[in-house]
Amino acid sequence: MEHFVVSARKYRPQNFEDVIGQKSITNTLENAIKNNHLAQALLFTGPRGVGKTSCARILAKKINQQDVELAGDEDFAFNIFELDAASNNSVDDIRSLTDQVRIPPQTGKYKVYIIDEVHMLSQAAFNAFLKTLEEPPAHAIFILATTEKHKIIPTILSRCQIFDFKRIGVLDAKNYLKTICEKENITAEDDALHIIAQKADGAMRDALSIFDRVVSFSGSNLTREAVTENLNVLDYETYFSMTDLLLENKIPDVLLAFNTVLAKGFEGHHFINGLASHFRDLLVAKDKATLELLEVGDNAKKKYLTQATKASIPFLMQAINKANDCDLNYRASKNQRLLVELTIMQIASITFDGEKKKPANYIIPATFFQALSPAVKEIAKPIQKKAIVAQPQKVEEPKPKFKTPVLKSAEKRTSSLSLKSIHQKKELKKAVVEENFDHHPKDIFTEKQLQDLWKEYVAILQAKGERSMASIVGTDAPKLLEKFLVSFTLPNKLMQDQFLKGRTPITKFLREKLNNYGLSIETKVNETIEKKFAYTPQEKFNKMKELNPLLEKLHRIFDLDL
């Protein structure tokens, strides 16, 4: 069995051209060697896995490469001495090092000392190293490497030339992984490599370790599905489908999709953070000037551009704010799942156009998603469609099935835009109900059919967001009298006046559904019901006094206010 060498060691850079994502630093070091302008103490600092130790070794070899003519590639052949400060952090270790520094090299011009993880040195060891670092022998060069520069004492920092290594970009890491795939004869999807590069979080060594792990899982063919399954990351397809549901105001489907995410073992915090990042990427994809900030593969970029056309900027801004608030409150929440569910329900309600004036945390009523009849779904379609499109479109009113020639000609005469024509059009709407329908159908129907359609119309009003009218219509069930006369009882005169204003569309709806154009609605007020309603404090007190007369005596003795 052949010995396996991990990719992080196998493809470790051997010269400055192989170092990924640190072009400015490698150019500076090469020019310093070429111009003989190299400092005797250098500090390489930055995140893990970005090439600090590799650059230190390459630099150390290049310093003596011109003066040493040896075929070997061992460190000692180039007078390189590497010290791990994590395990050699005492004063005695530093004293032993300073004793060795005094001895000049037998071959070559310089002795190079690489001290890795230098921040692990003790305070006493730092102090013992100060004098040597400030005035080193002419033949000694120190290269210090650390991931935590803030732990190094300022007196050491002031004696070093500092090079800050940056995180490796996602695209740079992906391109390097693609090069390795070509060398290893591995077929990999562009999106699969992009997910690995994102998961590495700017560390090339981590990217290569993840790459080895995924190759062991799926063999020589890396697919996006295999990578997401092995790394247990939320695929961007999850966020694309979730955003589509949010834009379409489908709250039940959104909650089911979130439950699927939780069933896969992901935390709600991880999901809401990813959703916020997805909204940010959609916002970036809105403008060509910011499109380069979108660090995704070519296939994913096309999907972002497509979905960005569906989502309006106000929606994305509100959605990002709500997701950010959820992120801030997640740790302190007692019921974290409920917090995320409320957030995504609020996001799904942003583009809902049923309510004219919505509160900040508005959620679409549950009644909107109840099992509706085909007629209600037809009414709800324009509302949902209007919510999806960024620029609202005009929804045409359904035309009545029957219209007499007299009514048509009257509409032509009132087509001009004026106060008089507006008044005439209002009169024409009344004429639709009051018109003589002697020649139109008058099918027989039952009171049960009437009441079912009455409830259906209440649901339609709720779907449109007309809650006030829906509550008035739903106060009582209508009664069927003779000659297709419908009687509807209301508790007070105010509600009767409001109902009469909206009686025309109700009558039209019932006539069309029952196919009976002789149907009419009359209203009446039930005084006994009206007395049950108490509005002012005095009326409430009077009602309570009827039940208990002693309240009047109590009110008089203590001189109480109502």
Side-chain angles (χ1 to χ4, degrees), residues 441-445 484 514-517:
K442 294 180 183 178
D443 292 353
I444 303 297
F445 61 90
F484 309 123
L514 296 171
N515 199 26
N516 187 315
Y517 289 82

Side-chain angles (χ1 to χ4, degrees), residues 82-108:
E82 192 166 347
L83 178 70
D84 180 20
S87 54
N88 301 282
N89 55 5
S90 65
V91 179
D92 293 335
D93 294 321
I94 295 300
R95 285 174 181 168
S96 174
L97 177 66
T98 55
D99 290 340
Q100 294 176 24
V101 169
R102 298 195 189 108
I103 304 171
Q106 294 184 5
T107 59

Side-chain angles (χ1 to χ4, degrees), residues 151-170:
K151 290 186 178 181
I152 302 174
I153 60 176
T155 48
I156 292 288
L157 293 175
S158 64
R159 289 165 170 79
C160 298
Q161 194 174 82
I162 301 174
F163 292 87
D164 286 304
F165 284 69
K166 62 182 180 180
R167 291 183 179 274
I168 296 173
V170 175

